[in-house]
Amino acid sequence: MLRTLAIRDFVIVDAIELELASGFSVFTGETGAGKSILIDALTLALGGRADASVVREGATRADITAEFTAAPHGEIADWLTDNAFDLEDGALLLRRVIDNSGRSKAFINGVTATITQLRDLGELLVDIHGQHAHQSLLKSDAQRILLDTQAGLLEQAKAVTQAYKSWRAVSKQREEFEQNAKSVLLERERLEWQVSELEKLAAKPGEWNEVSNEHSRLSHAASLIEGAQHALTVLSEADTSPVLSQIVALELKLGKLLDIDESLKPVVEALEPARIQLQEAVYALNDYLSRIELDPNRLRDLDARLEALHSAARKFHVTPEELPQEFADLSEQLQQLADATDMDALRAQEEKLQQAYLALAKKLSQARAKAALALGKSVTAAMQELSMAGGSFVVALQPVDAASYGLEQIEFLVAGHAGTTPRPLAKVASGGELARIALAISVIASSATATPTLIFDEVDSGIGGGVAEVVGRLLKRLGQDRQVLCVTHLPQVASQATQHFQVSKGTLDDGKTVSRIAPLSTSLRVEEIARMLGGLEITATTRKHARELLAS
């Protein structure tokens, strides 16, 4: 439940901190005092949309903090664990900060959170019924969503929608193929020819570089052999004075001269590695010449392969190195097109997905039928209390062709009097009747959910007199199991509350108007109820009536 709500620099609120109790609490005050501003502020703390206009004039930012209590186990605790937030001693702090440039920050228990996380958690904590909720009841989609929500069928409805989308996607694919069969077949034939050409070529990754290098070696084999043989001859095989023999002779001669002059030692030491390196070069040249050969046949084969690779690359507008990837890409496109144009497979898949959709939709229809009967009975019973004796409420399931939301559209029907045929809500209910029916549905739907805090923002507009007293009792009864907060202008509703706050306007020293809120003692409640009964002039009679309302 909501324990405290702290608001700073929000619209016309400078600083307010409320401590809230369990049970049924009301907020009253003059029109324009800012009663609904409290609900707007809490909505922001729960992840609602915000912009710079919510920041009080002259302030740098609006700051709203809502403190809740939550059980250590349950849906809320599980959500916090799944999203890596801690629940410390059952306290849960939601905070929203909006600066005067419109930028927003969100926090859960002091840890930065996303607006989506704030909104998701807020839906588990608070259920808000706005003063214009009855208007949405006239819309068919809203009626369906209300029934599914009240009956806990939203996940089933979501599964039906997903199954419908999957089915229709394949149906569309099949229809498009039937409409464009000729062009699709031409594209398939083109791809088959291209893939066949590349399959025959059988280009391998890295092949172009390997073949190019080998071709280069073979085409220059004669020059390579001649050059290597010449080097070998100069080094070790010349008829007269090969280089290696000369180095060996020099090394021996200078070695003998060391006995005469040791200063030649560095020269001798330099000649030794030179001799060794030249000997290694001779070994390498011999090995090279033993491997290299003139092979005209192999050279012709390589010429042909290079020409084939190069020709294919030109034809497919890629480089020779990219031919293997081009083959893979075109093969994948052909497979996808083949799968997409396999009419028998498409029809079989379409049939399978349609049956899956129908199975889910029929199951949803059964659950909706059961929920519709229960909701109709509950609202009908509430109508009797709300001065609509003999009236009845029916939730009709009108069959429709397969749709994303199922096999039926939901329609709320109402009969205002006994013996009359229920007709669509939009055509029958007056403004006052619609407000009462909306309130009954709100109370009943709220009873079916586990949300710990329920807020009603002037949902009692359009009613009065004895009906208002019944509404007050309904909300008070609801407050026995939940925390119920209600913004109201009806004294009959306000008198039923266990906690009463008065919202008023004040003026600061700088002349700016601000909203004030204060809990009322018993004597002050009498004055506020009397004001609500009699307007600005409070008389002894209105005070007496106020005391009687509170006593009752």
Side-chain angles (χ1 to χ4, degrees):
M1 60 171 279
L2 179 61
R3 297 293 299 170
T4 64
L5 179 63
I7 308 170
R8 183 175 295 277
D9 293 326
F10 178 76
V11 191
I12 61 170
V13 173
D14 58 345
I16 288 177
E17 185 165 346
L18 302 179
E19 291 189 7
L20 299 155
S22 58
F24 177 34
S25 300
V26 293
F27 299 85
T28 64
E30 297 282 358
T31 300
K35 299 186 295 297
S36 292
I37 287 177
L38 298 172
I39 308 302
D40 294 340
L42 181 58
T43 300
L44 284 182
L46 299 172
R49 288 188 176 183
D51 55 49
S53 65
V54 303
V55 181
R56 189 169 70 91
E57 186 177 350
T60 58
R61 66 181 186 179
D63 195 328
I64 304 140
T65 302
E67 181 186 359
F68 295 85
T69 55
H73 304 288
E75 191 174 10
I76 294 171
D78 291 343
W79 186 95
L80 291 169
T81 300
D82 292 343
N83 288 271
F85 293 104
D86 295 327
L87 179 62
E88 299 178 1
D89 300 325
L92 181 55
L93 213 63
L94 274 62
R95 184 181 176 209
R96 186 82 177 274
V97 179
I98 303 100
D99 65 25
N100 53 16
S101 66
R103 288 176 298 186
S104 170
K105 292 182 181 179
F107 304 89
I108 297 175
N109 279 348
V111 178
T112 301
T114 65
I115 301 302
T116 300
Q117 287 176 321
L118 211 59
R119 189 180 304 120
D120 291 345
L121 180 56
E123 289 176 356
L124 301 177
L125 294 167
V126 178
D127 190 6
I128 299 177
H129 300 267
Q131 57 182 308
H132 302 298
H134 62 279
Q135 294 175 358
S136 68
L137 287 180
L138 302 179
K139 300 176 182 177
S140 183
D141 287 347
Q143 293 174 3
R144 185 186 69 252
I145 293 170
L146 190 149
L147 176 66
D148 287 346
T149 302
Q150 193 272 337
L153 299 176
L154 288 178
E155 287 302 317
Q156 270 187 259
K158 190 183 295 183
V160 167
T161 299
Q162 187 57 52
Y164 177 83
K165 289 179 179 178
S166 299
W167 166 39
R168 290 307 304 160
V170 174
S171 296
K172 184 179 179 182
Q173 190 177 5
R174 189 256 311 156
E175 291 165 1
E176 287 177 349
F177 172 65
E178 289 177 343
Q179 293 170 3
N180 305 294
K182 185 176 181 180
S183 61
V184 171
L185 286 175
L186 287 174
E187 174 66 10
R188 181 173 176 177
E189 290 174 0
R190 183 185 70 82
L191 284 172
E192 285 176 341
W193 174 82
Q194 290 180 324
V195 169
S196 176
E197 286 285 302
L198 289 174
E199 190 172 27
K200 292 176 185 176
L201 184 67
K204 298 179 179 60
E207 182 184 6
W208 173 259
N209 288 333
E210 292 175 5
V211 173
S212 295
N213 291 336
E214 186 179 359
H215 181 274
S216 179
R217 286 196 302 273
L218 284 178
S219 62
H220 296 87
S223 298
L224 293 171
I225 291 172
E226 181 184 356
Q229 187 60 60
H230 174 72
L232 185 61
T233 300
V234 170
L235 288 175
S236 66
E237 295 180 358
D239 293 335
T240 58
S241 302
V243 172
L244 185 57
S245 298
Q246 291 184 50
I247 294 296
V248 170
L250 281 174
E251 189 179 5
L252 289 172
K253 186 173 183 178
L254 291 174
K256 293 176 181 179
L257 294 175
L258 282 177
D259 295 335
I260 302 171
D261 187 355
E262 287 190 0
S263 62
L264 290 171
K265 187 175 182 180
V267 178
V268 174
E269 290 176 346
L271 286 173
E272 182 179 4
R275 174 181 53 79
I276 294 171
Q277 291 295 326
L278 287 173
Q279 187 63 60
E280 290 294 330
V282 169
Y283 294 151
L285 285 168
N286 280 316
D287 181 63
Y288 179 75
L289 288 169
S290 70
R291 288 185 288 105
I292 195 168
E293 58 181 340
L294 290 171
D295 189 347
N297 293 330
R298 176 60 179 164
L299 185 59
R300 282 194 297 271
D301 291 343
L302 291 173
D303 278 331
R305 185 59 175 169
L306 285 174
E307 176 56 30
L309 292 171
H310 199 268
S311 176
R314 286 198 309 271
K315 187 181 297 183
F316 289 94
H317 304 291
V318 296
T319 64
E321 294 91 335
E322 294 171 334
L323 285 170
Q325 186 60 49
E326 181 71 4
F327 173 68
D329 292 343
L330 291 175
S331 298
E332 183 179 357
Q333 290 177 33
L334 178 60
Q335 184 60 52
Q336 290 175 349
L337 193 61
D339 292 342
T341 56
D342 186 339
M343 286 301 296
D344 291 337
L346 274 177
R347 290 192 182 102
Q349 186 182 11
E350 182 181 3
E351 174 66 19
K352 180 180 178 181
L353 291 172
Q354 182 184 23
Q355 292 306 315
Y357 161 78
L358 289 174
L360 290 172
K362 288 175 181 177
K363 187 176 179 181
L364 177 61
S365 296
Q366 293 172 355
R368 279 174 172 167
K370 183 178 179 181
L373 187 62
L375 182 60
K377 288 181 178 179
S378 298
V379 176
T380 297
M383 287 169 65
Q384 314 313 305
E385 293 187 77
L386 294 169
S387 295
M388 297 180 72
S392 62
F393 183 82
V394 177
V395 181
L397 274 61
Q398 309 290 2
V400 297
D401 292 335
S404 61
Y405 50 79
L407 299 174
E408 61 282 316
Q409 185 55 281
I410 309 303
E411 187 171 26
F412 290 171
L413 308 177
V414 64
H417 309 283
T420 57
T421 302
R423 296 176 58 198
L425 193 62
K427 298 180 180 179
V428 177
S430 65
E433 288 174 330
L434 187 57
R436 279 177 273 171
I437 293 170
L439 180 61
I441 292 174
S442 295
V443 172
I444 291 163
S446 296
S447 300
T449 66
T451 310
T453 298
L454 308 174
I455 296 177
F456 296 88
D457 185 11
E458 295 193 23
V459 293
D460 50 13
S461 59
I463 60 176
V467 177
E469 189 173 344
V470 173
V471 169
R473 287 202 299 267
L474 280 174
L475 293 174
K476 185 173 184 178
R477 189 188 312 160
L478 197 58
Q480 293 173 358
D481 300 317
R482 315 285 176 80
Q483 181 186 42
V484 177
L485 310 178
C486 179
V487 174
T488 183
H489 64 282
L490 297 176
Q492 296 91 336
V493 173
S495 63
Q496 298 286 337
T498 53
Q499 188 178 34
H500 191 157
F501 293 92
Q502 183 186 46
V503 184
S504 61
K505 282 184 177 179
T507 305
L508 297 176
D509 293 339
D510 59 6
K512 290 182 179 178
T513 300
V514 293
S515 182
R516 301 294 190 201
I517 186 167
L520 299 181
S521 62
T522 302
S523 59
L524 290 176
R525 283 193 75 184
V526 171
E527 293 298 308
E528 176 64 3
I529 297 295
R531 180 198 64 76
M532 297 172 74
L533 285 166
L536 294 176
E537 185 177 350
I538 301 175
T539 65
T541 302
T542 54
R543 286 191 179 94
K544 180 182 178 182
H545 190 186
R547 281 191 288 269
E548 289 172 350
L549 277 178
L550 288 168
S552 65

